Amino acid sequence: MMRQAGRFLPQYRALRARHDFLTLCKTPSLAAEVTAQPVDILGVDAAIVFADILLVPEAMGVALRFARGDGPQLEPPVRSSADLDKLSRPDVARSLGYVFETVAEVRRALGTRVPVIGFAGTPWTVAAYLVEGGAAKSFHHLLGWSHRDPAGLARLLARIAEVTHDYLLGQIEAGAQALQLFDTWGGLLDPERFRTLALPALLRALEGLSGRVPLIYYGRGTSHLLPLLRELPIEVLSVDWRLPLDVVRAQIGPRQVLQGNLDPAALLAPPVQIERAVRALVAAGSGGPHIINLGHGMLPMTPVEHACAFVEAAKTHGRCSVPARAR
Ligand code: CP3
């Protein structure tokens, strides 16, 4: 489940009342504890390491703050080629080594119970936060730069891609058994500009990783990019809820596993309806291998019993409908 650790779990909130978010991320014993919470409480089939996509720009020398209610803030924002000089080229073992320690600690704690998924943002999505200085509505700084000086923005994306590559590799070496790339803002681009601007940096970040562990790409609002996404060097394409899975499958062909794509708001309905939604989801995904998942992050107000109902329905209706070739 996307964003399964944290936000909606009372056990997470209790820890969070005592430590701020970045302290949790940077203290491997605490981060490992949060990572394991949804495995114990919800019974999910995988743990996703507790960290954040914005730890990468922080490691590049930009100050990161999570202000209550305002979302993340990055200071100073990077808005031109000249600003690139402000970014450092971090040694990830030193600046992000705490995430690698968390991965190793979670692996030790979970043993063979469930696999551990590592993750990063795609260079484009990390750039979106770095250029805007945080969460944004119109993304006019990012998109303005992309039209004014695409070569300059491509240099920023390449810088992020270098760090992301080392960061992903470090997570594999620490024991991550799959990696998920979050492209929350990939859908801002039209296909041609996705191909020329976002894609080269994404491919650089993934260079040499294919075949080491399964790679999952998550795109939000990227239905118009499916002809490009079907060519990515990944095993799993994770999609949001905007298109039914059978429609996605018809567009991407048989090669990739599909992951998704229940609307997170569906978990606000009563459990009987959640079960019905999961049955429909399984039917829509039955044209190929499918990992049952949400189409975006858990909403913070989701009742824990509803999240449990989702997992239970997935286990009841999921396994038996997996096509033989995907087992
Ligand atoms: O999935 C998990 O449970 C593992 C941990 C994880 C977090 N963030 C922890 C977190 C993961 C995989 C992420 C990914 C992430 N972070 C994305 C991509 C996925 C998506 O949701 O689109 C993005 C865009 C971010 C950036 C980010 N981090 C934002 C916009 C925010 C603030 C708003 C929010 O979602 O709550 C965060 C903070 C954050 N990251 C929290 C958690 C548990 C909430 C922090 C808190 O406890 O106050």
Side-chain angles (χ1 to χ4, degrees), residues 3-5 7 12 16 21 51-52 66 119 129 184 296:
R3 295 293 195 99
Q4 65 189 19
R7 282 170 122 201
Y12 168 76
R16 187 62 182 75
F21 174 64
D52 198 84
F66 285 89
F119 74 93
Y129 287 97
T184 307
H296 195 213

Side-chain angles (χ1 to χ4, degrees), residues 261-281:
N261 64 349
L262 191 70
D263 180 353
L267 299 192
L268 302 180
V272 282
Q273 265 171 271
I274 295 172
E275 188 184 357
R276 225 176 291 143
V278 169
R279 278 213 306 266
L281 176 62

Side-chain angles (χ1 to χ4, degrees), residues 245-270:
L245 289 185
D246 51 342
V247 176
V248 178
R249 176 60 73 194
Q251 289 192 42
I252 66 161
R255 188 176 64 86
Q256 293 160 337
V257 175
L258 272 179
Q259 175 173 293
N261 64 349
L262 191 70
D263 180 353
L267 299 192
L268 302 180

